[in-house]
């Protein structure tokens, strides 16, 4: 019987090498250790042996059984480990990998595109590109621009105020950066300031509560209205072509004297008159004028020696004109159907 036990162990050793999955493992367990398995069968045959021999064979049979059980337990551990690894391999994701295919390539917002285009144009004319805070002091937004606290011109630009803060406002225009720039750089000065502005507006096709402007300021000796007109026409023609006409009409702004309102031909009706241009054929795109002496003084510049001009383009309106957008509210909507066209 000892020989039979040895043969059983050898047969087991050969078969156990082939186990690659749980199904095979269970099948071998039943074959060797099951109630009707090979080992049980041999053990039943031991009943007919003499006492002495049964003791020896019984000991050997137990050794074989323990060895087989030990092998099974090792194989079980090995299979569990590889199952865990497999699961990790299947579930593994690289969170740093860029999304491929599913999401299309993005593009710059049309306001950013026109802003960058104009920054290049102004840089080529020797202008510095500057920035200023969107949450601005009441002083720079109004007072320094010749609009003292009691001045009725404050009503022209109603904005959003911050609760509990009396001295700051969401800036209504980019003009506060005029005095900031004069104080920072002095003369001679050529600067443009693109940026976001805020007004408490009843919104419509041409008015938003949040929109972009592009401010410009030139201060030097002997600067005149002619210089101003030249720069403004250069911008309009750069954006809309050589035939573009610019119309300047007097307008009151407390921080310039004289002041003008600048318009270009309406893109929608080509000057015929439509809902966008309120039937005038012109679209108002900027305010401009010769810098008021009080503003130069606030900037630390002597108005008897220096003069300058300033302008504030409605950058968002320039974008509408360039791309033929007939409702300004699309631009801040975040609607991908709109944005994907640019
Ligand atoms: C101003 O904001 C002056 N700071 C411009 C200026 C600068 C004048 C320097 C003189 C010297 P105004 O409120 O007109 O002016 O606005 C200028 C331009 O911003 C307008 O022509 C228009 O194109 C645009 N704009 C004004 N309000 C809105 C609005 N609610 N939504 C969209 N665009 C607007």
């Amino acid at each position: 019987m000892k020989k039979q036990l040895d043969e059983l162990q050898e047969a087991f050793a050969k078969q156990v090498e082939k186990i690659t999955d749980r199904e095979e493992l269970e099948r071998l367990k039943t074959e060797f250790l099951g109630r009707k398995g090979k080992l049980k069968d041999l053990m039943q045959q031991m009943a007919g042996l003499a006492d002495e021999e049964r003791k020896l064979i019984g000991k050997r049979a137990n050794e074989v059984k323990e060895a087989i059980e030990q092998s099974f337990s090792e194989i079980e551990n090995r299979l569990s480990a590889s199952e865990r690894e497999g699961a990790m391999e299947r579930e593994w994701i690289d969170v740093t990998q860029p999304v491929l295919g599913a999401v299309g390539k993005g593009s710059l917002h049309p306001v950013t595109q026109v802003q960058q285009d104009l920054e290049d144009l102004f840089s080529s004319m020797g202008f510095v590109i500057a920035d200023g805070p969107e949450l601005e002091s009441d002083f720079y937004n109004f007072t320094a621009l010749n609009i003292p606290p009691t001045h009725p011109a404050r009503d022209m630009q109603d904005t959003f105020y911050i609760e509990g803060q009396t001295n700051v406002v969401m800036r209504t225009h980019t003009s506060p950066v005029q005095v900031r720039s004069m104080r920072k750089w002095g003369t001679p000065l050529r600067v443009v300031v693109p940026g976001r502005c805020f007004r408490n507006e009843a919104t419509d096709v041409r008015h938003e509560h949040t929109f972009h402007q592009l401010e410009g300021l030139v201060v030097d000796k002997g600067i005149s209205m002619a210089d101003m007109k030249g720069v403004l026409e250069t911008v309009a023609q750069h954006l809309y072509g050589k035939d573009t006409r610019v119309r300047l009409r007097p307008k009151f702004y407390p921080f310039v004297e004289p002041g003008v309102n600048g318009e270009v031909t309406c893109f929608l009706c080509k000057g015929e008159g439509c809902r966008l241009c309120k039937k005038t054929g012109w679209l108002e795109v900027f305010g401009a004028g010769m810098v008021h002496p009080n503003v130069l003084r606030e900037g630390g510049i002597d108005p008897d020696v220096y003069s300058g001009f300033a302008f504030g383009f409605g950058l968002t309106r320039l974008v509408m004109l360039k791309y033929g957008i007939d409702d300004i509210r699309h631009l801040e909507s975040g609607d991908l159907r709109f944005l994907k066209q640019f």
Side-chain angles (χ1 to χ4, degrees), residues 67-291:
I68 291 176
E69 281 172 347
Q70 170 76 17
S71 288
F72 279 141
S73 135
E74 281 168 14
I75 290 165
E76 223 156 358
N77 287 343
R78 205 183 65 217
L79 285 176
S80 298
S82 74
E83 278 163 12
R84 272 198 305 278
E85 266 175 35
M88 278 171 73
E89 192 64 35
R90 278 194 305 280
E91 288 166 17
W92 182 86
I93 51 162
D94 179 358
V95 291
T96 65
Q97 185 180 332
V99 179
L100 301 172
V103 177
K105 207 170 148 207
S107 58
L108 292 177
H109 191 280
V111 171
T112 310
Q113 291 186 30
V114 174
Q115 179 181 322
Q116 291 184 350
D117 180 30
L118 288 178
E119 283 176 5
D120 286 348
L121 176 73
F122 280 107
S123 295
S124 76
M125 294 195 280
F127 283 73
V128 170
I129 318 287
D131 208 355
E134 291 179 352
L135 182 60
E136 183 56 280
S137 70
D138 178 282
F139 172 77
Y140 281 115
N141 197 81
F142 295 119
T143 314
L145 291 171
N146 204 26
I147 318 175
T150 51
H151 199 289
R154 287 203 173 201
D155 290 347
M156 289 163 66
Q157 297 184 0
D158 188 16
T159 183
F160 302 103
Y161 295 85
I162 308 298
E163 236 171 49
Q165 300 267 341
T166 46
N167 291 327
V168 289
V169 297
M170 295 306 288
R171 69 174 175 196
T172 53
H173 49 175
T174 40
S175 298
V177 191
Q178 284 186 28
V179 171
R180 284 181 176 277
S181 303
M182 290 182 210
R183 289 184 175 191
K184 188 169 179 186
W185 288 300
T187 51
L189 189 59
R190 256 182 279 183
V191 57
V192 283
V193 186
R196 233 162 28 142
C197 308
F198 311 85
R199 289 189 198 177
N200 186 6
E201 299 269 18
T203 60
D204 60 28
V205 286
R206 292 181 312 143
H207 295 88
E208 256 292 16
H209 49 72
T210 304
F211 58 99
H212 289 74
Q213 284 191 344
L214 184 126
E215 189 81 8
L217 173 69
V218 173
V219 184
D220 207 339
K221 289 179 181 158
I223 297 291
S224 74
M225 281 284 264
D227 298 313
M228 183 183 88
K229 192 159 182 265
V231 170
L232 294 169
E233 273 176 2
T234 304
V235 174
Q237 289 175 0
H238 170 79
L239 285 173
Y240 311 119
K242 284 276 167 238
D243 301 332
T244 310
R245 282 183 296 147
V246 175
R247 182 165 84 161
L248 299 180
R249 294 193 304 167
K251 181 170 177 180
F252 171 69
Y253 290 104
F255 34 97
V256 285
E257 179 58 43
V260 295
N261 180 20
E263 297 162 312
V264 293
T265 325
C266 177
F267 70 87
L268 200 59
C269 60
K270 307 276 179 260
E272 293 287 303
C274 67
R275 82 176 173 129
L276 184 65
C277 60
K278 286 204 235 153
K279 310 232 178 292
T280 62
W282 295 91
L283 274 178
E284 180 199 322
V285 287
F286 62 87
M290 299 305 291
V291 183

